[in-house]
Amino acid sequence: MGQGTPTSLPLGDFKPADQWQTHVNAIFYGIQGPSIHDHFQTYVSRDHRLAHALTEEFLSAARENPAPVLNVQEWGVGNGNLAGCFLSHVKELDAKGKVYPRIRYALCDYSNEILKGARQNPRLADHAGRFFPILVPADYLDCFPSQSVQQIFSNEIWDDLATRVLLKDGDLLYEEYLQPCLDPAMAGMDFDTLKTFFNDGNRAELARVPSLLSAIVWERSFQRVDLSNWPFHEVLEAHAGEMAEGIPVPVNVGAFATLERARDLLAPGGMGYTGMDYGMFSMREVNAEGRPYFNIYGGQYTSMVNFELLAEVGKAIGFAEVTREYQHDFVGRRLGDRVASIVELVQRHPGTRNMQPWDRDILMLQTLQAVNGTYRSPYKHRMTYPALPGTPKKQRKQIAQLVEHLSTRGVPDTVAYVTETEVRATLSQLNKLGYREKEIRSVFDSPRDPISFVCLHFR
Ligand SMILES: C[S@@+](CC[C@H](N)C(=O)[O-])C[C@H]1O[C@@H](n2cnc3c(N)ncnc32)[C@H](O)[C@@H]1O
């Protein structure tokens, strides 16, 4: 399975996948800070609808909860937008002031750069004294007393945490090993010096070569493995019994650790731990042939989340109630409508497959403009949408003009939820852009992909 180029040299030895994954991710977040969202967006990094759905679920339980202090923790906080939208929405809905004044919201992250950025998020400016950035790894978190937290949230952190990969072949199981390799021409310094900085995780020095992580070529190999000394090996052996042969299956051991921490920290009668991420909803998707099991964004190495296994581990840890639902259904239930993202809408446009990337950007912006005709965000936001490198002058100008005319109360991002009603109300403009009824219907109707956004609730 090696993918190295003939010129690339190893930056280190082959090691189980989780070891290199966590190593490069710590470098990625340490170097990037809040500019991570130049590489990827999430459903909470600009949008408010998932955050508001979580807030409303929280509020209905919090009103009945007599605890004098409601400790809420978010693990892996990104730019702090989820925290800002959560606190703003609680404040707005809690007219009698019964809940908001009791909240202490801890923004927990292992990257100081990320926490510095989150602290500056303008949406948090109104909530001074109510939120507390805390530098701590999510799979460790020994600095809080047991049973002291009412609610825990995390979004898109499990896919970053240590993940081992299993492969079944007949009665035998194999584990994936990775080796990072690099073309020395990409090192930007003497290769051996860079190798030392990389292995030491020296962020100050590695920040001088920000393109390093995305230039890494990962060599892969599989080695025989015995599960008996893996965490939760009994749950894992049962899972392996259900696995199809020849399909790499992620085992998100770092996510298991967060569940153990959550179980210890959550107060009895609290609201529990709600974690959101993307991956395989059930065994059917785990065994779907050809589905991806990892992804690399700007050098960050992410693994698909095996929600089936995570739910089983949650039960083994002692959670009394473990529920799973598609994230789109969770948000849609709260809004009383079906929802999709603008990205999903654009992906279904009949012309996108043959378009140049800049023409796809123009279509994206025109689609946003059309839906903005009915959409009104409760938050003001000016969208930035830089043209891709290589965009011709004419299209670059058009992109800049379209961005300038986007409403500050419009859909806040391309990864943002819009309802079927909002989309249908702009049907005539969407038709003019080339969308047909069947594509619009399929965005809201189609069966879920093998990799989907999912919420897991543990109580
Ligand atoms: C993909 S980003 C998601 C950010 C945010 N939750 C969102 O959805 O936009 C992952 C976040 O988790 C943090 N993170 C990754 N591994 C972590 C760990 N072991 N402990 C604490 N935070 C971690 C990163 O610094 C980053 O803020």
Side-chain angles (χ1 to χ4, degrees), residues 25 29 36-37 40-45 74-80 82 108-111 114 136-139 154-157 159-161 300 302:
N25 287 350
Y29 288 111
I36 53 170
H37 294 298
F40 59 85
Q41 297 121 293
T42 70
Y43 276 102
V44 299
S45 58
E74 183 188 341
W75 297 351
V77 300
N79 63 7
L82 168 57
C108 304
D109 206 284
Y110 76 160
S111 161
I114 289 280
V136 64
D139 35 7
S154 69
N155 188 58
E156 293 202 26
I157 181 169
D159 62 286
D160 270 353
L161 299 180
Q300 178 215 25
T302 68

Side-chain angles (χ1 to χ4, degrees), residues 166-351:
L166 279 181
L167 189 76
K168 187 165 154 181
D169 183 18
D171 289 340
L172 301 179
L173 286 172
Y174 293 80
E175 177 174 14
E176 185 184 52
Y177 279 61
L178 295 176
Q179 182 182 46
C181 297
L182 187 76
D183 179 347
M186 305 294 291
M189 62 178 85
D190 165 66
F191 187 81
D192 287 329
T193 308
L194 177 80
K195 192 169 164 178
T196 307
F197 291 153
F198 178 74
N199 282 278
D200 294 349
N202 187 332
R203 289 165 218 180
E205 294 293 344
L206 295 173
R208 289 164 44 204
V209 256
S211 58
L212 163 75
L213 297 182
S214 43
I216 290 177
V217 176
W218 292 99
E219 292 282 341
R220 297 170 192 277
S221 74
F222 282 85
Q223 301 186 17
R224 278 281 306 279
V225 71
D226 167 13
L227 294 181
S228 59
N229 56 7
W230 283 41
F232 303 98
H233 67 95
E234 284 172 6
V235 179
L236 262 177
E237 274 153 17
H239 191 74
E242 303 289 311
M243 276 164 45
E245 288 192 35
I247 297 179
V249 172
V251 176
N252 311 90
V253 289
F256 300 170
T258 63
L259 297 187
E260 287 181 291
R261 299 311 309 140
R263 177 85 182 106
D264 175 52
L265 287 175
L266 284 167
M271 296 77 165
Y273 177 19
T274 296
M276 296 142 293
D277 221 306
Y278 54 86
M280 297 77 71
F281 186 85
S282 69
M283 212 62 217
R284 194 168 62 123
E285 289 78 24
V286 170
N287 287 339
E289 215 161 322
R291 59 139 177 81
Y293 65 102
F294 69 91
N295 228 325
I296 299 171
Y297 299 101
Q300 178 215 25
Y301 195 109
T302 68
S303 302
M304 303 301 139
V305 176
N306 184 338
F307 291 102
E308 171 78 18
L309 182 57
L310 211 47
E312 289 308 315
V313 167
K315 289 178 205 158
I317 286 172
F319 283 102
E321 207 186 314
V322 180
T323 52
R324 204 176 333 173
E325 67 185 319
Y326 286 107
Q327 188 177 290
H328 287 32
D329 294 345
F330 173 64
V331 175
R333 188 156 49 79
R334 278 279 153 199
L335 292 170
D337 204 343
R338 296 196 291 184
V339 295
S341 70
I342 294 285
V343 169
E344 289 166 321
L345 183 59
V346 172
Q347 279 166 350
R348 287 194 173 63
H349 186 282

Side-chain angles (χ1 to χ4, degrees), residues 120-139:
Q120 303 303 324
N121 189 314
R123 265 180 214 162
L124 281 169
D126 286 346
H127 305 292
R130 203 93 354 256
F131 72 92
F132 310 88
I134 299 176
L135 187 66
V136 64
D139 35 7

Side-chain angles (χ1 to χ4, degrees), residues 15-30:
K15 291 185 195 175
D18 60 315
Q19 295 186 26
W20 280 124
Q21 178 200 6
T22 49
H23 185 75
V24 295
N25 287 350
I27 296 172
F28 177 83
Y29 288 111

